């Protein structure tokens, strides 16, 4: 039996094809101006890649920002539930999940058997999200992938004190003018992202093993900054952290269809 998880996020659409044990395939693309048609296109691509028809998929479950509008979905579920199911698939004993996506960040607290016991979300402000990191990359004329690597090379971090992404950008420009090295600025930026998300998590209790997911969990600079902020060498990052929600959706679909 095969199921499909579709995560329609504010920045990207993610699809996972699941066989009950492992990911058979996954696809990611930008949501663009028409996320629903993007998701449909990606769904057809996934089926075509495996010579499947829609009737071969026992259940399709949608999640994410656009979950209620995907016409091929049999069901929809919240990102919180789907992310948790995706993380628990890899790390059954995890206590909390930090998720940083394109335009929001959230912290989910898990209890016994991966049950969600609380969550907090920032979807009001760009600071502390992937969008903010993209703005910084643009200001510094590097790609997001490049700034992640640049931050790993060197020591020390400057303070980025502005609470707003727009003001933080001016702060970064003034640091460039006073010749602060780019890697020092970047570690400062990533630490400010880490400080924000950990402060968000402090509204719950961030104890025990913590996982990090979302597109931004592909940024090794942010991983280091969160470890630094948590004062811990251990942060569990699943393989392909961007597709965790879609994986969780596919897992929940599998359980429902079994
Ligand atoms: P959403 O679910 O909110 O649509 P995602 O979880 O897909 O968002 O995350 C999108 C964010 O991840 C974007 O801000 C993007 O810049 C960032 N991102 C994607 N790939 C990478 C990468 N390889 N390295 C660093 N950041 C990345």
């Amino acid at each position: 039996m095969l199921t499909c998880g579709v995560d329609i996020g504010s920045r990207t659409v993610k699809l996972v094809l699941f066989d009950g044990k492992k990911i058979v395939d996954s696809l990611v693309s930008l949501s663009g101006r028409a996320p629903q048609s993007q998701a449909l296109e990606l769904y057809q691509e996934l089926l075509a890649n495996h010579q499947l028809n829609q009737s071969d998929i026992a259940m399709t479950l949608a999640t994410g920002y656009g979950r209620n509008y995907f016409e091929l979905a049999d069901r929809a579920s919240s990102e919180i539930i789907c992310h948790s199911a995706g993380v628990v698939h890899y790390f059954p004993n995890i206590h909390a999940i930090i998720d940083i996506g394109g335009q929001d960040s959230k912290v989910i607290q898990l209890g016994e058997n991966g049950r969600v016991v609380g969550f907090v979300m920032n979807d009001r402000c760009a600071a502390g999200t992937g969008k903010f990191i993209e703005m910084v990359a643009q200001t510094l004329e590097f790609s997001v992938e490049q700034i992640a690597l640049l931050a790993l090379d060197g020591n020390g971090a400057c303070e980025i004190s502005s609470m707003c992404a727009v003001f933080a950008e001016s702060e970064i420009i003034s640091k460039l003018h006073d010749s602060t090295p780019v890697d020092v600025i970047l570690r400062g930026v990533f630490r400010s992202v880490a400080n924000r998300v950990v402060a968000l998590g402090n509204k719950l209790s961030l104890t025990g093993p913590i996982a990090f997911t979302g597109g931004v969990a592909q940024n090794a600079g942010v991983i280091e900054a969160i470890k630094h902020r948590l004062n811990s060498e251990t942060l569990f990052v699943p393989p392909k952290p961007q597709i965790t929600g879609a994986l969780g959706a596919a897992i929940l679909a599998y359980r429902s269809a079994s």
Side-chain angles (χ1 to χ4, degrees):
M1 184 171 85
L2 291 170
T3 55
C4 186
V6 182
D7 180 0
I8 306 178
S10 58
R11 292 305 303 278
T12 62
V13 175
K14 286 80 67 179
L15 259 73
V16 165
L17 186 63
F18 184 67
D19 70 0
K21 284 209 170 80
K22 61 175 191 318
I23 296 175
V24 177
D25 200 1
S26 64
L27 293 174
V28 178
S29 83
L30 289 175
S31 303
R33 259 174 305 180
Q36 299 299 328
S37 4
Q38 194 56 41
L40 272 175
E41 222 171 272
L42 220 56
Y43 194 88
Q44 300 305 347
E45 186 182 330
L46 190 72
L47 292 182
N49 287 350
H50 298 270
Q51 285 101 44
L52 293 168
N53 294 312
Q54 206 192 322
S55 56
D56 297 321
I57 309 294
M59 184 180 279
T60 295
L61 197 148
T63 188
Y65 194 64
R67 64 181 177 271
N68 292 322
Y69 308 101
F70 185 58
E71 59 194 64
L72 299 184
D74 300 295
R75 263 183 55 195
S77 251
S78 87
E79 292 133 273
I80 310 293
I81 302 286
C82 291
H83 266 279
S84 307
V87 166
V88 168
H89 175 74
Y90 289 110
F91 312 118
N93 299 319
I94 229 71
H95 281 201
I97 304 166
I98 292 174
D99 178 80
I100 309 183
Q103 288 183 19
D104 63 25
S105 50
K106 47 189 169 287
V107 181
I108 305 168
Q109 194 182 354
L110 301 178
E112 294 280 302
N113 303 322
R115 199 169 48 85
V116 176
V117 292
F119 76 92
V120 275
M121 186 153 176
N122 158 38
D123 57 1
R124 294 287 145 92
C125 159
T129 71
K131 181 76 196 162
F132 173 53
I133 295 172
E134 285 171 35
M135 281 167 66
V136 171
Q138 207 176 3
T139 306
L140 298 175
E141 297 176 344
F142 287 114
S143 69
V144 169
E145 288 79 5
Q146 282 171 323
I147 62 167
L149 294 178
L150 283 168
L152 296 180
D153 215 4
N155 290 303
C158 67
E159 177 107 9
I160 305 288
S161 52
S162 304
M163 297 302 269
C164 159
V166 177
F167 290 133
E169 200 175 10
S170 336
E171 205 179 335
I172 289 162
I173 292 167
S174 72
K175 293 207 185 292
L176 283 173
H177 284 289
D178 76 13
S179 304
T180 308
V182 167
D183 65 301
V184 173
I185 296 177
L186 287 171
R187 281 189 293 279
V189 166
F190 295 153
R191 284 190 192 176
S192 83
V193 170
N195 289 346
R196 278 190 157 254
V197 77
V198 172
L200 189 69
N202 284 340
K203 293 178 183 166
L204 308 165
S205 68
L206 273 188
T207 53
I210 299 177
F212 180 28
T213 65
V216 175
Q218 295 172 110
N219 183 326
V222 179
I223 295 176
E224 283 311 308
I226 295 178
K227 283 183 183 171
H228 180 268
R229 178 65 185 77
L230 293 170
N231 211 2
S232 162
E233 262 316 298
T234 320
L235 183 66
F236 293 86
V237 182
K240 299 192 181 176
Q242 195 169 18
I243 61 163
T244 314
L247 170 63
I251 292 172
L252 295 176
Y254 200 93
R255 278 186 209 148
S256 272
S258 295

